[in-house]
Amino acid sequence: DAGITQSPRHKVTETGTPVTLRCHQTENHRYMYWYRQDPGHGLRLIHYSYGVKDTDKGEVSDGYSVSRSKTEDFLLTLESATSSQTSVYFCAISPRGAPTDTQYFGPGTRLTVL
Amino acid sequence: AQKVTQAQTEISVVEKEDVTLDCVYETRDTTYYLFWYKQPPSGELVFLIRRNSFDEQNEISGRYSWNFQKSTSSFNFTITASQVVDSAVYFCALSQGGSEKLVFGKGTKLTVNP
């Protein structure tokens, strides 16, 4: 199994509060990704990183920001959480990125915004 | 544009039956990669297989087999002699050059009954 952990694994928060989710890897992979999974939508890319301090937007990036100050950590921040951001969030890692490399996923974080 | 269609939303079989999960993709690129992931009830995403667009050989891994046909843009997944532990949601995904995102289908929920 790829060495990926996510914290917290579960979180309940209120609308308007900031939330930060953490992804930590022990594989020293260059690429890291944040996806959200919602019923009927499969998984959708929020943001990704291709190196320390190098990030880019995915297809559903509005309302989210990311940071990567170390190779092993990729943070996803909801500046002001909304109920539409209730979802399961998955982090993924990849050695060299798309399209050639497989993305390996972390265990997920279930976020509920009340 | 990239798109992955998994037309079967849910499938229910009895143990030991064979079952095929369909995946149809759309892409304009000649170089692309196709993936299957398994999401058991515990929620994690488990990588099963990656196939590139230049390799149309079918692949077999134990009870699992994959049939890649470029002529019909399909990458179907067959489980032979299904078992209860195969119960999960299965996702097909597509990756192509110029984009870091994996495009996922909406998944097929497989239930294997004893």
Side-chain angles (χ1 to χ4, degrees):
Chain A
D1 290 343
I4 313 170
T5 56
Q6 293 184 232
S7 58
R9 294 293 312 281
H10 301 271
K11 186 169 182 67
V12 179
T13 191
E14 294 188 351
T15 297
T17 61
V19 176
T20 296
L21 308 183
R22 179 182 183 237
C23 177
H24 178 78
Q25 60 146 332
T26 58
E27 306 294 325
N28 202 36
H29 285 347
R30 179 182 174 192
Y31 284 78
M32 298 184 75
Y33 308 81
W34 278 107
Y35 288 84
R36 60 178 289 174
Q37 182 179 27
D38 304 290
H41 288 277
L43 281 87
R44 293 177 292 175
L45 181 66
I46 305 171
H47 281 281
Y48 69 94
S49 169
Y50 48 97
V52 173
K53 299 185 179 178
D54 292 323
T55 65
D56 206 347
K57 296 179 180 180
E59 61 184 308
V60 289
S61 59
D62 288 348
Y64 301 95
S65 62
V66 291
S67 65
R68 191 169 178 199
S69 58
K70 298 184 291 184
T71 299
E72 58 266 35
D73 290 327
F74 192 32
L75 304 180
L76 176 71
T77 297
L78 291 65
E79 301 291 346
S80 178
T82 67
S83 58
S84 64
Q85 293 175 312
T86 292
S87 187
V88 180
Y89 291 86
F90 285 96
C91 174
I93 64 173
S94 172
R96 291 173 295 272
T100 55
D101 275 354
T102 298
Q103 293 183 22
Y104 296 93
F105 286 82
T109 293
R110 184 173 294 276
L111 176 67
T112 301
V113 183
L114 302 176
Chain B
Q2 309 172 69
K3 186 178 179 181
V4 175
T5 302
Q6 295 180 254
Q8 305 150 307
T9 305
E10 294 193 37
I11 301 175
S12 182
V13 300
V14 177
E15 209 170 15
K16 298 185 182 178
E17 282 187 35
D18 299 346
V19 58
T20 295
L21 310 181
D22 297 333
C23 173
V24 174
Y25 63 92
E26 295 177 29
T27 178
R28 294 177 183 167
D29 276 18
T30 56
T31 301
Y32 53 89
Y33 288 76
L34 295 162
F35 302 81
W36 277 94
Y37 288 86
K38 174 183 179 180
Q39 187 173 42
S42 52
E44 72 271 25
L45 280 158
V46 179
F47 164 71
L48 296 177
I49 189 171
R50 180 184 72 193
R51 176 52 51 91
N52 75 59
S53 52
F54 298 107
D55 182 3
E56 286 194 73
Q57 282 192 334
N58 290 335
E59 177 132 355
I60 298 174
S61 176
R63 297 184 296 106
Y64 295 172
S65 62
W66 291 269
N67 183 2
F68 176 31
Q69 291 195 334
K70 290 176 73 171
S71 61
T72 56
S73 297
S74 64
F75 186 44
N76 296 336
F77 173 30
T78 297
I79 302 174
T80 303
S82 61
Q83 300 176 1
V84 172
V85 292
D86 295 326
S87 296
V89 180
Y90 291 87
F91 291 97
C92 180
L94 167 70
S95 177
Q96 64 184 46
S99 173
E100 279 301 320
K101 72 176 180 181
L102 269 181
V103 176
F104 283 84
K106 294 184 179 181
T108 297
K109 182 178 182 180
L110 173 66
T111 301
V112 181
N113 299 297

